[in-house]
Amino acid sequence: MSEKSVVTHYRSVLAAACILILFSGADQFVYSLSPIPPLAWLAMGGLLTLPLIGRRLIVRQIPTPRLVILAFCMLALGLYGWWVSDHGIIAIHALREWILSVLILLMCAEIFSEPHAVRAARYAVVGVVAISVLLAVLNFLGINDLSHLICRSGALYRNPNTTAISLVLGAVVAMDLLPPKWREAFFTLTGIGVCVTVSRGGYVVWLVAAAGMIFTKQLRWRTLLTLIGGTLALAATAYLGARTFAVLPSCLKPADVSYIGANRFSTSPVDDSLYIRIQMLEAGLRGLATSGWFGAGIGYPIKLTRALIGLSSGSQTLYLDMMLQFGIFGLLLIVLTVYLLLRHPYSNHIRPWTFIMVWLAWSWLDSNMFLSMSELVILALQMAMIAGPAYSLDGYNPLPRLKGMRSK
């Protein structure tokens, strides 16, 4: 076996492992059961990537240039945010998280720098989505208790909202890899997983993803509607049968269904989650007067909501949190991310539009798009899918197209 083949296989294994551990939420789950922190997995990944980085330095190449550009722009923005901050404990903690995100992007830039590695990672995404849906359904039915929540599922992510967006973005990234006849079934399966998270934002982005993939002809709307209708009919039949024989899971008993309706699908103050989110948003909007056009420094949204409503949460909206911390420069980072996703895709058969629509929609509901492990890794993978050749200091050296990368 040649050296190039060994490196290719090694990189592909690392790419699959990156998805199976970091994207799946397994790092957080393992930490809940053992003293092994998520940072240990990142350190291990970094060490295993060092030989590849060393080899890259020898041949004078920059891997996945788009990811490297995004990482260094994030680093510059983080240092700017530290410069204008109060240099307090919250700012120090926020800067550490921000730099960790930069390191993750740089690691992914090397790991996902070849088509074979990208393909291995996408296959791993398919497996993670399928397993996460299974765990989420079992969690909802009371067969396991991974997320320790009442009437909601979190799979290995232990957070229903993170589960929902990870399932949707995973489905979007992996869709072109599947044979056309299986795509609607896979996306319906993803919808089942999102459904049992009882995440309102998850429902919205699943619909956004469905619309985007129907528009780009990745999904056939008639087949998708048929599968959804069949799934709903099967679920209703199973529910009526279980209710008749009094074997309903706890979360499907009438009292619990009423509880879910009152606390997740209500616009009244009874809905604690919605009420708290409104408070976070109001706190963030009040902070704009202080932060101005150039931001009040990294970590400021957490400091702000802690002072105003007693929660260290930020505004829970990426656009507002970036404006509060970095001012107009924070919004420019979001624009840069979208631009890098859109600029000259390596293959015309890779459609980033649906991913961008979902990513931007979820950014209204979550402020951790640049900090959450699973969301950051899947962003890196999507960017690597369209990145194409590595950049050499001696000129462009296009990588060979991988047979089978085209959509079928």
Side-chain angles (χ1 to χ4, degrees):
M1 187 179 292
S2 66
E3 178 188 353
K4 183 176 181 181
S5 179
V6 170
V7 171
T8 296
H9 283 86
Y10 180 72
R11 193 189 305 277
S12 298
V13 171
L14 277 184
C18 181
I19 295 298
L20 293 173
I21 296 173
L22 302 183
F23 173 65
S24 70
D27 57 329
Q28 296 288 344
F29 180 71
V30 169
Y31 186 46
S32 69
L33 300 176
S34 71
I36 303 175
L39 191 59
W41 297 103
L42 291 175
M44 185 184 301
L47 289 174
L48 292 173
T49 309
L50 281 179
L52 298 176
I53 295 175
R55 186 174 183 271
R56 185 76 63 178
L57 292 175
I58 293 173
V59 297
R60 294 168 55 83
Q61 282 187 340
I62 299 175
T64 323
R66 300 180 198 217
L67 277 176
V68 174
I69 290 172
L70 179 61
F72 277 99
C73 287
M74 281 186 63
L75 178 60
L77 191 63
L79 294 177
Y80 166 77
W82 169 254
W83 178 55
V84 300
S85 73
D86 61 1
H87 299 175
I89 297 298
I90 294 176
I92 292 173
H93 180 71
L95 180 63
R96 286 175 180 171
E97 286 193 329
W98 193 263
I99 292 176
L100 185 61
S101 294
V102 171
L103 294 176
I104 291 170
L105 285 179
L106 290 175
M107 183 180 73
C108 289
E110 179 57 53
I111 293 175
F112 298 147
S113 62
E114 291 184 358
H116 287 85
V118 170
R119 189 177 182 85
R122 294 176 74 193
Y123 273 122
V125 169
V126 174
V128 167
V129 170
I131 293 172
S132 295
V133 170
L134 175 61
L135 292 176
V137 172
L138 293 177
N139 192 177
F140 186 78
L141 296 177
I143 298 175
N144 65 54
D145 189 23
L146 296 176
S147 54
H148 303 293
L149 294 171
I150 299 174
C151 298
R152 301 186 69 188
S153 297
L156 294 182
Y157 301 96
R158 304 175 65 80
N159 182 312
N161 293 323
T162 304
T163 302
I165 187 59
S166 298
L167 289 175
V168 173
L169 288 178
V172 171
V173 166
M175 191 59 65
D176 276 345
L177 197 64
L178 299 172
K181 64 180 180 180
W182 291 109
R183 293 178 184 175
E184 291 80 13
F186 182 69
F187 195 67
T188 302
L189 180 70
T190 303
I192 294 172
V194 172
C195 183
V196 296
T197 64
V198 197
S199 169
R200 291 165 297 198
Y203 299 159
V204 171
V205 293
W206 187 86
L207 291 173
V208 170
M213 287 191 282
I214 289 171
F215 181 76
T216 55
K217 301 187 186 306
Q218 291 171 286
L219 295 176
R220 296 162 293 183
W221 68 269
R222 290 186 179 87
T223 305
L224 183 61
L225 287 179
T226 301
L227 284 172
I228 292 173
T231 301
L232 291 175
L234 183 61
T237 302
Y239 175 77
L240 292 175
R243 187 169 182 177
T244 301
F245 293 100
V247 290
L248 281 173
S250 60
C251 286
L252 292 179
K253 292 178 180 177
D256 291 309
V257 172
S258 299
Y259 170 82
I260 294 174
N263 286 274
R264 300 301 301 168
F265 302 102
S266 169
T267 57
S268 69
V270 174
D271 185 348
D272 295 333
S273 176
L274 181 61
Y275 183 63
I276 292 172
R277 278 187 173 272
I278 291 174
Q279 286 186 308
M280 294 173 184
L281 181 60
E282 290 176 346
L285 291 173
R286 288 169 62 183
L288 283 177
T290 303
S291 63
W293 286 100
F294 299 102
I298 194 165
Y300 178 66
I302 294 176
K303 179 181 177 181
L304 182 69
T305 53
R306 178 183 288 185
L308 295 180
I309 62 176
L311 294 174
S312 302
S313 60
S315 69
Q316 293 296 297
T317 300
L318 180 65
Y319 306 102
L320 185 52
D321 266 20
M322 295 294 283
M323 186 70 182
L324 289 169
Q325 295 181 98
F326 312 113
I328 191 67
F329 304 116
L331 297 182
L332 288 177
L333 181 68
I334 298 175
V335 173
L336 173 66
T337 303
V338 174
Y339 171 75
L340 291 173
L341 286 167
L342 284 177
R343 184 179 181 273
H344 301 309
Y346 177 50
S347 169
N348 292 330
H349 297 276
I350 295 177
R351 309 171 178 89
W353 281 107
T354 303
F355 184 94
I356 292 170
M357 289 165 54
V358 172
W359 194 87
L360 291 176
W362 188 255
S363 296
W364 286 105
L365 308 169
D366 185 10
S367 59
N368 295 316
M369 300 301 286
F370 290 117
L371 299 174
S372 171
M373 188 77 70
S374 59
E375 294 162 26
L376 198 61
V377 169
I378 203 69
L379 171 64
L381 179 56
Q382 174 65 60
M383 201 167 285
M385 286 168 56
I386 61 175
Y391 181 77
S392 171
L393 297 180
D394 301 319
Y396 275 99
N397 295 324
L399 295 171
R401 290 182 184 271
L402 182 63
K403 187 177 180 181
M405 285 286 283
R406 289 176 172 255
S407 173
K408 297 178 181 179

